[in-house]
Amino acid sequence: MEPPRTALAERIARQRAGTGDPRALVGEMRRSVLLVPTADGGLWSARSGGVRWICGFTDETALARFALHHGPGDRPMDYAALLGARIVDEIVPSLNEPAGLAVDIATEDGSMFFPPVAGIVPDAVALDVDHVTGPDRDGGGGRGR
């Protein structure tokens, strides 16, 4: 018997079904403790589409599905338990490259990606925020000069 889903996994399921509230989903992600595999002293991540994705899991069952394919063989997979807000507010900006959060990537029809955009990560590292400052932002200069 499958254990009950976490509140975040429930919100993801609703969002994937087209009945969820995106803001409530982001809020739940921020409040949730995620299990993030560790390797070589850092957090496990993958690069895809020019973005580095930190992989987090809503519970040990979701993490175990991932570990079957990416784990260290016959040894248990080490992981850190981190608040979603800490991942997107502190860890993502510290990576100095476009980064986001991928949740439950080994769960068929249960994964969700939180990309590096405003409202998910800090504006300073969001890809959809104009980071130009000074005269260019005020129209006093031009881009590409």
Side-chain angles (χ1 to χ4, degrees):
M1 182 174 152
E2 187 94 6
R5 290 196 273 195
T6 65
L8 178 56
E10 285 292 331
R11 289 244 185 234
I12 289 171
R14 281 189 236 140
Q15 190 66 34
R16 291 180 63 96
T19 60
D21 175 356
R23 281 183 256 199
L25 173 63
V26 171
E28 193 63 50
M29 174 273 294
R30 294 181 62 77
R31 289 186 296 274
S32 295
V33 172
L34 295 167
L35 308 180
V36 182
T38 57
D40 302 322
L43 301 177
W44 202 95
S45 64
R47 285 184 176 78
S48 179
V51 174
R52 182 173 173 182
W53 297 98
I54 296 171
C55 300
F57 299 90
T58 54
D59 58 27
E60 288 181 342
T61 301
L63 176 62
R65 279 191 286 272
F66 173 79
L68 283 174
H69 300 288
H70 301 284
D74 59 349
R75 294 176 300 145
M77 180 173 267
D78 292 330
Y79 63 89
L82 300 169
L83 197 60
R86 180 160 185 229
I87 296 168
V88 296
D89 291 347
E90 297 175 24
I91 296 169
V92 163
S94 75
L95 297 175
N96 296 318
E97 65 180 300
L101 173 62
V103 176
D104 288 352
I105 60 170
T107 302
E108 188 174 330
D109 297 328
S111 62
M112 183 61 60
F113 290 78
F114 295 89
V117 296
I120 296 177
V121 300
D123 285 353
V125 296
L127 296 179
D128 62 337
V129 173
D130 185 5
H131 296 109
V132 176
T133 58
D136 290 345
R137 183 169 207 111
D138 300 330
R143 287 191 168 187
R145 283 188 168 177

